[in-house]
Amino acid sequence: MNVLLRIAYDGTNYCGFQVQNNGISVAQVFQDAMEAVFGNRPDIKGCSRTDAGVHALAFALNFSTDCRIPVEKIPIAINTKLPPDIRVLSAQVVPDDFHARYAAHNKTYHYRIRNSVIESPFDCRYTVRVPRQLDVDAMNAAAKRCEGTHDFTTFCAAGSSAAAHGDTVRTITDCHVVREGDVVTISVTADGYLYNMVRILAGTLVEVGSGRMTPDQVTAALDACDRSKAGPTMPAKGLFLYQVEYDEPTA
Amino acid sequence: MNVLLRIAYDGTNYCGFQVQNNGISVAQVFQDAMEAVFGNRPDIKGCSRTDAGVHALAFALNFSTDCRIPVEKIPIAINTKLPPDIRVLSAQVVPDDFHARYAAHNKTYHYRIRNSVIESPFDCRYTVRVPRQLDVDAMNAAAKRCEGTHDFTTFCAAGSSAAAHGDTVRTITDCHVVREGDVVTISVTADGYLYNMVRILAGTLVEVGSGRMTPDQVTAALDACDRSKAGPTMPAKGLFLYQVEYDEPTA
């Protein structure tokens, strides 16, 4: 059977989801746990790569197995073999041709900012601190300018392979900013992302919130298709893969 | 001048607030930071000891200094010398005879429970997981039985010095339980605490929430002045010193 899992992880100690030579990946640790449960090492298909240090609240992955564990028991079985910074949240059977990456309609990322002079000892792994008071209304006005179908070269790290292939058009269906106390969260939903796109978009909205850029300048920056017109790339630790949407029912 | 600081810390990596021989304490790290800022090592008076692994959202401490740094700059000055798991939140000048421990009217602790089959990778340092669905109404009924002035020997770790001296009467002015999603928080406000009192009280309320004790049995347990009648001592990592109250104005 083909099984879709939703997993959450604290990315602090990992080089990203995908197996890599330069560090310990979430996928590698996950496959170790699966091997301990299933007796073999299933090939897993992730919904996306995430960068080193990026977190996930509901990453999606699928794998084929002929194990006899009832599907609803799979989360607990794998969780007993995982470190506490990775958890399986749910499991469901999906059609044989389901692929967690290609079946995804859109993904939502959150970027979390601690908008305070003083860091929180409890949240410092999961927010990036911006001491200057951010104007969330201005950030929302600029966020609206990013919605729609655009060439997002301006929000793409220089030297990425998508940019090299001219594959830089994506559709952002929602982009908005919310303040809860000291925490300002940027939410972006799109059908796909370029390399570092959310972190550059977040850095650009912080420029707007700090009064260093206007919404009109964000529109002009997007139109210019020029990375140098956007704000800085924000650090990985504030970024969360929040949701991945599929057609229902999946099985 | 006598300065009152409010500080927050993640207690995971410390043996408690107080300097001890068996590990690194918050006070020791704090004094190292103060020495780097002030050039000497002020004696600090904490509002309480906290146990190893216990956290604080607003611990209070005071110290005397003749430094010329304006009081409102002290938090930032000390924070630059502290590790990220300890932060100074605020500073104010208080009368010379103010003592953070003796001047405190009451202190509020929170005990945080993750009431879920699955742990959170982001909150696992700050909650203790209880998989069985807790009945918060029953817990609140039992919490009310704990309010008032009682001999709290039942909620005191065996062998504590307070118990040995018969100094076991305290007044709980508020005890209540709140659920927010999967997180159940027990809040206790009292004029003082016996050793492990909140963690044993929390363990007792979890017994009630799980249907293994009734509110009447909690009353009977309290009346018995017998530690063995109460629930287990919950782990340190769910416990937060939440607030310390002083007379206003303090200076």
PDB file of all heavy atoms in Angstrom, chain A residues 45-80:
ATOM      1  N   LYS A  45       9.102   9.724  -0.526  1.00  0.00           N
ATOM      2  CA  LYS A  45       8.935  10.866  -1.424  1.00  0.00           C
ATOM      3  C   LYS A  45       8.414  12.030  -0.619  1.00  0.00           C
ATOM      4  O   LYS A  45       7.286  11.981  -0.113  1.00  0.00           O
ATOM      5  CB  LYS A  45       7.957  10.508  -2.548  1.00  0.00           C
ATOM      6  CG  LYS A  45       8.573   9.568  -3.576  1.00  0.00           C
ATOM      7  CD  LYS A  45       7.598   8.508  -4.025  1.00  0.00           C
ATOM      8  CE  LYS A  45       8.307   7.434  -4.855  1.00  0.00           C
ATOM      9  NZ  LYS A  45       7.524   6.169  -4.867  1.00  0.00           N
ATOM     10  N   GLY A  46       9.225  13.068  -0.482  1.00  0.00           N
ATOM     11  CA  GLY A  46       8.836  14.235   0.305  1.00  0.00           C
ATOM     12  C   GLY A  46       8.107  15.259  -0.539  1.00  0.00           C
ATOM     13  O   GLY A  46       8.287  15.317  -1.762  1.00  0.00           O
ATOM     14  N   CYS A  47       7.283  16.083   0.097  1.00  0.00           N
ATOM     15  CA  CYS A  47       6.514  17.096  -0.629  1.00  0.00           C
ATOM     16  C   CYS A  47       7.411  18.236  -1.097  1.00  0.00           C
ATOM     17  O   CYS A  47       7.034  18.991  -1.990  1.00  0.00           O
ATOM     18  CB  CYS A  47       5.390  17.652   0.245  1.00  0.00           C
ATOM     19  SG  CYS A  47       5.966  18.535   1.702  1.00  0.00           S
ATOM     20  N   SER A  48       8.568  18.378  -0.505  1.00  0.00           N
ATOM     21  CA  SER A  48       9.504  19.434  -0.919  1.00  0.00           C
ATOM     22  C   SER A  48      10.824  19.185  -0.219  1.00  0.00           C
ATOM     23  O   SER A  48      10.910  18.390   0.711  1.00  0.00           O
ATOM     24  CB  SER A  48       8.966  20.810  -0.542  1.00  0.00           C
ATOM     25  OG  SER A  48       8.988  20.982   0.850  1.00  0.00           O
ATOM     26  N   ARG A  49      11.846  19.871  -0.687  1.00  0.00           N
ATOM     27  CA  ARG A  49      13.068  19.970   0.099  1.00  0.00           C
ATOM     28  C   ARG A  49      12.794  21.086   1.094  1.00  0.00           C
ATOM     29  O   ARG A  49      12.069  22.023   0.773  1.00  0.00           O
ATOM     30  CB  ARG A  49      14.225  20.426  -0.796  1.00  0.00           C
ATOM     31  CG  ARG A  49      14.619  19.421  -1.838  1.00  0.00           C
ATOM     32  CD  ARG A  49      15.290  20.101  -3.014  1.00  0.00           C
ATOM     33  NE  ARG A  49      15.675  19.093  -3.993  1.00  0.00           N
ATOM     34  CZ  ARG A  49      16.881  18.530  -4.044  1.00  0.00           C
ATOM     35  NH1 ARG A  49      17.842  18.929  -3.222  1.00  0.00           N
ATOM     36  NH2 ARG A  49      17.159  17.589  -4.921  1.00  0.00           N
ATOM     37  N   THR A  50      13.337  21.015   2.256  1.00  0.00           N
ATOM     38  CA  THR A  50      13.372  22.239   3.069  1.00  0.00           C
ATOM     39  C   THR A  50      14.842  22.492   3.350  1.00  0.00           C
ATOM     40  O   THR A  50      15.645  21.553   3.395  1.00  0.00           O
ATOM     41  CB  THR A  50      12.589  22.114   4.398  1.00  0.00           C
ATOM     42  OG1 THR A  50      13.088  21.011   5.145  1.00  0.00           O
ATOM     43  CG2 THR A  50      11.095  21.934   4.154  1.00  0.00           C
ATOM     44  N   ASP A  51      15.210  23.742   3.524  1.00  0.00           N
ATOM     45  CA  ASP A  51      16.608  24.089   3.758  1.00  0.00           C
ATOM     46  C   ASP A  51      17.049  23.750   5.177  1.00  0.00           C
ATOM     47  O   ASP A  51      16.227  23.536   6.064  1.00  0.00           O
ATOM     48  CB  ASP A  51      16.810  25.589   3.546  1.00  0.00           C
ATOM     49  CG  ASP A  51      16.938  25.925   2.081  1.00  0.00           C
ATOM     50  OD1 ASP A  51      17.081  25.000   1.260  1.00  0.00           O
ATOM     51  OD2 ASP A  51      16.883  27.125   1.755  1.00  0.00           O
ATOM     52  N   ALA A  52      18.345  23.756   5.372  1.00  0.00           N
ATOM     53  CA  ALA A  52      18.922  23.551   6.702  1.00  0.00           C
ATOM     54  C   ALA A  52      18.294  24.531   7.682  1.00  0.00           C
ATOM     55  O   ALA A  52      18.185  25.727   7.394  1.00  0.00           O
ATOM     56  CB  ALA A  52      20.427  23.768   6.642  1.00  0.00           C
ATOM     57  N   GLY A  53      17.831  24.025   8.822  1.00  0.00           N
ATOM     58  CA  GLY A  53      17.318  24.893   9.879  1.00  0.00           C
ATOM     59  C   GLY A  53      15.864  25.287   9.743  1.00  0.00           C
ATOM     60  O   GLY A  53      15.307  25.894  10.661  1.00  0.00           O
ATOM     61  N   VAL A  54      15.234  24.937   8.621  1.00  0.00           N
ATOM     62  CA  VAL A  54      13.811  25.260   8.425  1.00  0.00           C
ATOM     63  C   VAL A  54      12.962  24.191   9.137  1.00  0.00           C
ATOM     64  O   VAL A  54      13.324  23.014   9.160  1.00  0.00           O
ATOM     65  CB  VAL A  54      13.467  25.325   6.918  1.00  0.00           C
ATOM     66  CG1 VAL A  54      11.968  25.466   6.687  1.00  0.00           C
ATOM     67  CG2 VAL A  54      14.242  26.461   6.253  1.00  0.00           C
ATOM     68  N   HIS A  55      11.848  24.621   9.722  1.00  0.00           N
ATOM     69  CA  HIS A  55      10.967  23.727  10.475  1.00  0.00           C
ATOM     70  C   HIS A  55       9.743  23.331   9.648  1.00  0.00           C
ATOM     71  O   HIS A  55       9.449  23.964   8.634  1.00  0.00           O
ATOM     72  CB  HIS A  55      10.493  24.422  11.748  1.00  0.00           C
ATOM     73  CG  HIS A  55      11.569  25.144  12.479  1.00  0.00           C
ATOM     74  ND1 HIS A  55      12.607  24.485  13.093  1.00  0.00           N
ATOM     75  CD2 HIS A  55      11.802  26.472  12.671  1.00  0.00           C
ATOM     76  CE1 HIS A  55      13.427  25.381  13.639  1.00  0.00           C
ATOM     77  NE2 HIS A  55      12.954  26.591  13.395  1.00  0.00           N
ATOM     78  N   ALA A  56       9.030  22.311  10.122  1.00  0.00           N
ATOM     79  CA  ALA A  56       7.791  21.915   9.449  1.00  0.00           C
ATOM     80  C   ALA A  56       6.734  21.550  10.473  1.00  0.00           C
ATOM     81  O   ALA A  56       7.008  20.800  11.412  1.00  0.00           O
ATOM     82  CB  ALA A  56       8.040  20.736   8.519  1.00  0.00           C
ATOM     83  N   LEU A  57       5.557  22.103  10.290  1.00  0.00           N
ATOM     84  CA  LEU A  57       4.417  21.742  11.136  1.00  0.00           C
ATOM     85  C   LEU A  57       3.613  20.607  10.537  1.00  0.00           C
ATOM     86  O   LEU A  57       2.948  19.874  11.260  1.00  0.00           O
ATOM     87  CB  LEU A  57       3.507  22.963  11.338  1.00  0.00           C
ATOM     88  CG  LEU A  57       4.087  24.005  12.284  1.00  0.00           C
ATOM     89  CD1 LEU A  57       3.336  25.325  12.153  1.00  0.00           C
ATOM     90  CD2 LEU A  57       4.018  23.515  13.729  1.00  0.00           C
ATOM     91  N   ALA A  58       3.634  20.477   9.221  1.00  0.00           N
ATOM     92  CA  ALA A  58       2.884  19.395   8.571  1.00  0.00           C
ATOM     93  C   ALA A  58       3.505  19.088   7.224  1.00  0.00           C
ATOM     94  O   ALA A  58       2.898  19.295   6.182  1.00  0.00           O
ATOM     95  CB  ALA A  58       1.410  19.763   8.429  1.00  0.00           C
ATOM     96  N   PHE A  59       4.734  18.606   7.266  1.00  0.00           N
ATOM     97  CA  PHE A  59       5.401  18.118   6.065  1.00  0.00           C
ATOM     98  C   PHE A  59       4.677  16.845   5.621  1.00  0.00           C
ATOM     99  O   PHE A  59       4.197  16.084   6.452  1.00  0.00           O
ATOM    100  CB  PHE A  59       6.864  17.805   6.405  1.00  0.00           C
ATOM    101  CG  PHE A  59       7.737  17.538   5.222  1.00  0.00           C
ATOM    102  CD1 PHE A  59       8.475  18.552   4.651  1.00  0.00           C
ATOM    103  CD2 PHE A  59       7.828  16.256   4.678  1.00  0.00           C
ATOM    104  CE1 PHE A  59       9.300  18.306   3.560  1.00  0.00           C
ATOM    105  CE2 PHE A  59       8.645  16.003   3.584  1.00  0.00           C
ATOM    106  CZ  PHE A  59       9.382  17.027   3.025  1.00  0.00           C
ATOM    107  N   ALA A  60       4.591  16.626   4.312  1.00  0.00           N
ATOM    108  CA  ALA A  60       3.926  15.419   3.794  1.00  0.00           C
ATOM    109  C   ALA A  60       4.944  14.558   3.063  1.00  0.00           C
ATOM    110  O   ALA A  60       5.809  15.089   2.342  1.00  0.00           O
ATOM    111  CB  ALA A  60       2.796  15.807   2.852  1.00  0.00           C
ATOM    112  N   LEU A  61       4.855  13.255   3.254  1.00  0.00           N
ATOM    113  CA  LEU A  61       5.705  12.327   2.512  1.00  0.00           C
ATOM    114  C   LEU A  61       4.938  11.041   2.289  1.00  0.00           C
ATOM    115  O   LEU A  61       4.002  10.726   3.026  1.00  0.00           O
ATOM    116  CB  LEU A  61       7.015  12.077   3.265  1.00  0.00           C
ATOM    117  CG  LEU A  61       6.950  11.429   4.634  1.00  0.00           C
ATOM    118  CD1 LEU A  61       6.927   9.903   4.560  1.00  0.00           C
ATOM    119  CD2 LEU A  61       8.160  11.868   5.462  1.00  0.00           C
ATOM    120  N   ASN A  62       5.314  10.307   1.251  1.00  0.00           N
ATOM    121  CA  ASN A  62       4.663   9.007   1.050  1.00  0.00           C
ATOM    122  C   ASN A  62       5.696   7.925   0.772  1.00  0.00           C
ATOM    123  O   ASN A  62       6.844   8.212   0.396  1.00  0.00           O
ATOM    124  CB  ASN A  62       3.626   9.079  -0.066  1.00  0.00           C
ATOM    125  CG  ASN A  62       4.229   9.254  -1.439  1.00  0.00           C
ATOM    126  OD1 ASN A  62       4.791  10.310  -1.716  1.00  0.00           O
ATOM    127  ND2 ASN A  62       4.139   8.233  -2.287  1.00  0.00           N
ATOM    128  N   PHE A  63       5.275   6.689   0.998  1.00  0.00           N
ATOM    129  CA  PHE A  63       6.155   5.537   0.769  1.00  0.00           C
ATOM    130  C   PHE A  63       5.287   4.297   0.556  1.00  0.00           C
ATOM    131  O   PHE A  63       4.133   4.254   0.993  1.00  0.00           O
ATOM    132  CB  PHE A  63       7.103   5.325   1.955  1.00  0.00           C
ATOM    133  CG  PHE A  63       6.402   4.982   3.244  1.00  0.00           C
ATOM    134  CD1 PHE A  63       6.297   3.655   3.670  1.00  0.00           C
ATOM    135  CD2 PHE A  63       5.815   5.972   4.025  1.00  0.00           C
ATOM    136  CE1 PHE A  63       5.647   3.340   4.854  1.00  0.00           C
ATOM    137  CE2 PHE A  63       5.154   5.648   5.207  1.00  0.00           C
ATOM    138  CZ  PHE A  63       5.072   4.341   5.620  1.00  0.00           C
ATOM    139  N   SER A  64       5.851   3.318  -0.113  1.00  0.00           N
ATOM    140  CA  SER A  64       5.166   2.042  -0.337  1.00  0.00           C
ATOM    141  C   SER A  64       5.628   1.028   0.692  1.00  0.00           C
ATOM    142  O   SER A  64       6.824   0.967   1.003  1.00  0.00           O
ATOM    143  CB  SER A  64       5.498   1.493  -1.727  1.00  0.00           C
ATOM    144  OG  SER A  64       4.581   1.959  -2.649  1.00  0.00           O
ATOM    145  N   THR A  65       4.676   0.254   1.193  1.00  0.00           N
ATOM    146  CA  THR A  65       5.052  -0.780   2.166  1.00  0.00           C
ATOM    147  C   THR A  65       4.079  -1.939   2.060  1.00  0.00           C
ATOM    148  O   THR A  65       2.916  -1.750   1.696  1.00  0.00           O
ATOM    149  CB  THR A  65       5.064  -0.210   3.606  1.00  0.00           C
ATOM    150  OG1 THR A  65       5.428  -1.254   4.508  1.00  0.00           O
ATOM    151  CG2 THR A  65       3.703   0.343   4.010  1.00  0.00           C
ATOM    152  N   ASP A  66       4.564  -3.129   2.367  1.00  0.00           N
ATOM    153  CA  ASP A  66       3.649  -4.268   2.471  1.00  0.00           C
ATOM    154  C   ASP A  66       3.550  -4.714   3.936  1.00  0.00           C
ATOM    155  O   ASP A  66       3.198  -5.847   4.221  1.00  0.00           O
ATOM    156  CB  ASP A  66       4.107  -5.428   1.575  1.00  0.00           C
ATOM    157  CG  ASP A  66       5.556  -5.797   1.822  1.00  0.00           C
ATOM    158  OD1 ASP A  66       6.163  -5.256   2.776  1.00  0.00           O
ATOM    159  OD2 ASP A  66       6.100  -6.620   1.062  1.00  0.00           O
ATOM    160  N   CYS A  67       3.851  -3.813   4.853  1.00  0.00           N
ATOM    161  CA  CYS A  67       3.812  -4.156   6.274  1.00  0.00           C
ATOM    162  C   CYS A  67       2.375  -4.433   6.698  1.00  0.00           C
ATOM    163  O   CYS A  67       1.427  -3.977   6.060  1.00  0.00           O
ATOM    164  CB  CYS A  67       4.395  -3.034   7.128  1.00  0.00           C
ATOM    165  SG  CYS A  67       3.250  -1.684   7.433  1.00  0.00           S
ATOM    166  N   ARG A  68       2.214  -5.177   7.783  1.00  0.00           N
ATOM    167  CA  ARG A  68       0.867  -5.555   8.235  1.00  0.00           C
ATOM    168  C   ARG A  68       0.388  -4.687   9.402  1.00  0.00           C
ATOM    169  O   ARG A  68      -0.643  -4.954   9.994  1.00  0.00           O
ATOM    170  CB  ARG A  68       0.853  -7.023   8.669  1.00  0.00           C
ATOM    171  CG  ARG A  68       1.109  -7.934   7.482  1.00  0.00           C
ATOM    172  CD  ARG A  68       0.921  -9.389   7.892  1.00  0.00           C
ATOM    173  NE  ARG A  68       1.464 -10.271   6.869  1.00  0.00           N
ATOM    174  CZ  ARG A  68       1.694 -11.559   7.067  1.00  0.00           C
ATOM    175  NH1 ARG A  68       1.427 -12.106   8.242  1.00  0.00           N
ATOM    176  NH2 ARG A  68       2.185 -12.305   6.100  1.00  0.00           N
ATOM    177  N   ILE A  69       1.191  -3.680   9.748  1.00  0.00           N
ATOM    178  CA  ILE A  69       0.748  -2.775  10.818  1.00  0.00           C
ATOM    179  C   ILE A  69      -0.463  -2.001  10.310  1.00  0.00           C
ATOM    180  O   ILE A  69      -0.422  -1.449   9.212  1.00  0.00           O
ATOM    181  CB  ILE A  69       1.875  -1.778  11.187  1.00  0.00           C
ATOM    182  CG1 ILE A  69       3.142  -2.534  11.589  1.00  0.00           C
ATOM    183  CG2 ILE A  69       1.440  -0.829  12.293  1.00  0.00           C
ATOM    184  CD1 ILE A  69       4.360  -1.627  11.774  1.00  0.00           C
ATOM    185  N   PRO A  70      -1.587  -1.965  11.069  1.00  0.00           N
ATOM    186  CA  PRO A  70      -2.728  -1.159  10.627  1.00  0.00           C
ATOM    187  C   PRO A  70      -2.282   0.293  10.448  1.00  0.00           C
ATOM    188  O   PRO A  70      -1.491   0.801  11.255  1.00  0.00           O
ATOM    189  CB  PRO A  70      -3.735  -1.291  11.775  1.00  0.00           C
ATOM    190  CG  PRO A  70      -3.291  -2.464  12.575  1.00  0.00           C
ATOM    191  CD  PRO A  70      -1.812  -2.582  12.378  1.00  0.00           C
ATOM    192  N   VAL A  71      -2.796   0.960   9.402  1.00  0.00           N
ATOM    193  CA  VAL A  71      -2.272   2.280   9.042  1.00  0.00           C
ATOM    194  C   VAL A  71      -2.379   3.269  10.205  1.00  0.00           C
ATOM    195  O   VAL A  71      -1.488   4.100  10.410  1.00  0.00           O
ATOM    196  CB  VAL A  71      -2.934   2.813   7.744  1.00  0.00           C
ATOM    197  CG1 VAL A  71      -4.401   3.145   7.960  1.00  0.00           C
ATOM    198  CG2 VAL A  71      -2.180   4.015   7.200  1.00  0.00           C
ATOM    199  N   GLU A  72      -3.437   3.159  11.012  1.00  0.00           N
ATOM    200  CA  GLU A  72      -3.614   4.115  12.110  1.00  0.00           C
ATOM    201  C   GLU A  72      -2.595   3.909  13.239  1.00  0.00           C
ATOM    202  O   GLU A  72      -2.408   4.796  14.084  1.00  0.00           O
ATOM    203  CB  GLU A  72      -5.058   4.074  12.651  1.00  0.00           C
ATOM    204  CG  GLU A  72      -5.447   2.799  13.363  1.00  0.00           C
ATOM    205  CD  GLU A  72      -5.926   1.697  12.415  1.00  0.00           C
ATOM    206  OE1 GLU A  72      -5.743   1.839  11.176  1.00  0.00           O
ATOM    207  OE2 GLU A  72      -6.467   0.687  12.916  1.00  0.00           O
ATOM    208  N   LYS A  73      -1.916   2.738  13.236  1.00  0.00           N
ATOM    209  CA  LYS A  73      -0.891   2.485  14.255  1.00  0.00           C
ATOM    210  C   LYS A  73       0.509   2.939  13.807  1.00  0.00           C
ATOM    211  O   LYS A  73       1.449   2.937  14.601  1.00  0.00           O
ATOM    212  CB  LYS A  73      -0.816   0.984  14.584  1.00  0.00           C
ATOM    213  CG  LYS A  73      -2.109   0.352  15.054  1.00  0.00           C
ATOM    214  CD  LYS A  73      -2.359   0.595  16.517  1.00  0.00           C
ATOM    215  CE  LYS A  73      -3.551  -0.213  17.006  1.00  0.00           C
ATOM    216  NZ  LYS A  73      -4.079   0.281  18.281  1.00  0.00           N
ATOM    217  N   ILE A  74       0.640   3.249  12.518  1.00  0.00           N
ATOM    218  CA  ILE A  74       1.968   3.588  11.990  1.00  0.00           C
ATOM    219  C   ILE A  74       2.588   4.806  12.690  1.00  0.00           C
ATOM    220  O   ILE A  74       3.769   4.773  13.045  1.00  0.00           O
ATOM    221  CB  ILE A  74       1.917   3.758  10.447  1.00  0.00           C
ATOM    222  CG1 ILE A  74       1.737   2.374   9.790  1.00  0.00           C
ATOM    223  CG2 ILE A  74       3.172   4.455   9.915  1.00  0.00           C
ATOM    224  CD1 ILE A  74       1.634   2.402   8.258  1.00  0.00           C
ATOM    225  N   PRO A  75       1.804   5.901  12.946  1.00  0.00           N
ATOM    226  CA  PRO A  75       2.450   7.051  13.604  1.00  0.00           C
ATOM    227  C   PRO A  75       3.116   6.682  14.923  1.00  0.00           C
ATOM    228  O   PRO A  75       4.284   7.016  15.160  1.00  0.00           O
ATOM    229  CB  PRO A  75       1.288   8.032  13.802  1.00  0.00           C
ATOM    230  CG  PRO A  75       0.343   7.725  12.679  1.00  0.00           C
ATOM    231  CD  PRO A  75       0.420   6.225  12.528  1.00  0.00           C
ATOM    232  N   ILE A  76       2.394   5.971  15.785  1.00  0.00           N
ATOM    233  CA  ILE A  76       2.963   5.642  17.097  1.00  0.00           C
ATOM    234  C   ILE A  76       4.147   4.696  16.947  1.00  0.00           C
ATOM    235  O   ILE A  76       5.175   4.853  17.619  1.00  0.00           O
ATOM    236  CB  ILE A  76       1.870   5.057  18.026  1.00  0.00           C
ATOM    237  CG1 ILE A  76       0.892   6.175  18.393  1.00  0.00           C
ATOM    238  CG2 ILE A  76       2.480   4.423  19.262  1.00  0.00           C
ATOM    239  CD1 ILE A  76      -0.314   5.712  19.179  1.00  0.00           C
ATOM    240  N   ALA A  77       4.049   3.746  16.018  1.00  0.00           N
ATOM    241  CA  ALA A  77       5.149   2.792  15.823  1.00  0.00           C
ATOM    242  C   ALA A  77       6.430   3.524  15.406  1.00  0.00           C
ATOM    243  O   ALA A  77       7.510   3.277  15.961  1.00  0.00           O
ATOM    244  CB  ALA A  77       4.756   1.755  14.769  1.00  0.00           C
ATOM    245  N   ILE A  78       6.316   4.440  14.454  1.00  0.00           N
ATOM    246  CA  ILE A  78       7.526   5.157  14.000  1.00  0.00           C
ATOM    247  C   ILE A  78       7.997   6.142  15.071  1.00  0.00           C
ATOM    248  O   ILE A  78       9.196   6.291  15.304  1.00  0.00           O
ATOM    249  CB  ILE A  78       7.281   5.880  12.652  1.00  0.00           C
ATOM    250  CG1 ILE A  78       6.859   4.877  11.578  1.00  0.00           C
ATOM    251  CG2 ILE A  78       8.544   6.633  12.208  1.00  0.00           C
ATOM    252  CD1 ILE A  78       6.579   5.507  10.210  1.00  0.00           C
ATOM    253  N   ASN A  79       7.049   6.798  15.750  1.00  0.00           N
ATOM    254  CA  ASN A  79       7.442   7.791  16.761  1.00  0.00           C
ATOM    255  C   ASN A  79       8.303   7.185  17.868  1.00  0.00           C
ATOM    256  O   ASN A  79       9.178   7.876  18.409  1.00  0.00           O
ATOM    257  CB  ASN A  79       6.204   8.458  17.379  1.00  0.00           C
ATOM    258  CG  ASN A  79       5.622   9.536  16.470  1.00  0.00           C
ATOM    259  OD1 ASN A  79       6.324  10.079  15.616  1.00  0.00           O
ATOM    260  ND2 ASN A  79       4.349   9.849  16.649  1.00  0.00           N
ATOM    261  N   THR A  80       8.082   5.916  18.202  1.00  0.00           N
ATOM    262  CA  THR A  80       8.897   5.301  19.259  1.00  0.00           C
ATOM    263  C   THR A  80      10.359   5.203  18.840  1.00  0.00           C
ATOM    264  O   THR A  80      11.226   5.052  19.702  1.00  0.00           O
ATOM    265  CB  THR A  80       8.400   3.885  19.625  1.00  0.00           C
ATOM    266  OG1 THR A  80       8.471   3.061  18.456  1.00  0.00           O
ATOM    267  CG2 THR A  80       6.979   3.904  20.154  1.00  0.00           C
TER     268      THR A  80
END
